[in-house]
Amino acid sequence: MLPLLSLQAFAQVPQNPNIKAYDTLTFNSNGCYGSCPAYSVTLKPDGKVIFNGIRYTKVKGKFSFMIPVEDFIQIYNQVEPLRAVAKQPPYQCKIERTDAQSFNLSWLTKKGIDTRYGYYTGCLDQDYPKINPLGALAKLHISRYIR
């Protein structure tokens, strides 16, 4: 049984000619050795959101809903600074806890170029950048589909 979606999810999304300039965003929460939730959330520039519950989520499988284009743009702008970090060589963790959860964010261009940013919760280094990209999804209330 799917949870009730807000009325906003059914609202008519206004057309915005500038949305063609944006890439598709995909957020992944990868599982861990225990019962960490595994899911993905894809946001398209037209406001379409696709949730895919894989393991340890309230909702299993794919479903989609719409958000206003303005919300997509706000989320996009919030995570865009991470793209510069993603283009740097990956951080080599020195002190880590194994089998911890990791999160990924990818930008997919219309030309098929995929840029990925990764965050591993098991890295215990003091200088490891602690920037979890899933925080940008707070506006979507994705937590209601996870646990």
Side-chain angles (χ1 to χ4, degrees):
M1 182 167 124
L2 289 178
L4 294 175
L5 298 177
S6 68
L7 292 177
Q8 177 184 12
F10 298 103
Q12 188 73 326
V13 177
Q15 292 301 314
N16 184 332
N18 297 327
I19 63 172
K20 293 180 181 171
Y22 293 93
D23 301 328
T24 296
L25 298 174
T26 299
F27 296 81
N28 288 299
S29 172
N30 301 314
C32 62
Y33 185 69
S35 59
C36 301
Y39 60 92
S40 67
V41 179
T42 299
L43 287 84
K44 297 188 175 275
D46 65 356
K48 184 175 185 178
V49 178
I50 303 164
F51 177 89
N52 184 20
I54 301 166
R55 277 188 320 274
Y56 300 109
T57 58
K58 284 182 192 173
V59 178
K60 303 277 192 263
K62 289 184 181 181
F63 74 93
S64 61
F65 58 95
M66 298 296 290
I67 60 171
V69 171
E70 292 76 17
D71 287 355
F72 168 84
I73 293 170
Q74 184 180 16
I75 292 167
Y76 191 95
N77 289 338
Q78 189 176 346
V79 299
E80 183 60 17
L82 294 176
R83 194 189 297 233
V85 176
K87 292 181 179 181
Q88 297 172 5
Y91 182 87
Q92 299 298 318
C93 190
K94 296 164 199 67
I95 305 168
E96 66 181 58
R97 163 174 67 92
T98 60
D99 299 324
Q101 192 167 22
S102 64
F103 303 101
N104 297 299
L105 164 62
S106 68
W107 295 260
L108 183 63
T109 68
K110 284 133 199 77
K111 294 182 179 180
I113 300 170
D114 192 9
T115 304
R116 294 176 184 254
Y117 169 80
Y119 173 74
Y120 181 56
T121 62
C123 186
L124 304 175
D125 295 358
Q126 290 290 349
D127 55 344
Y128 181 63
K130 307 271 191 271
I131 307 170
N132 182 343
L134 291 185
L137 296 180
K139 179 175 228 142
L140 301 181
H141 306 288
I142 296 299
S143 60
R144 64 183 159 195
Y145 309 122
I146 299 167
R147 288 194 204 184

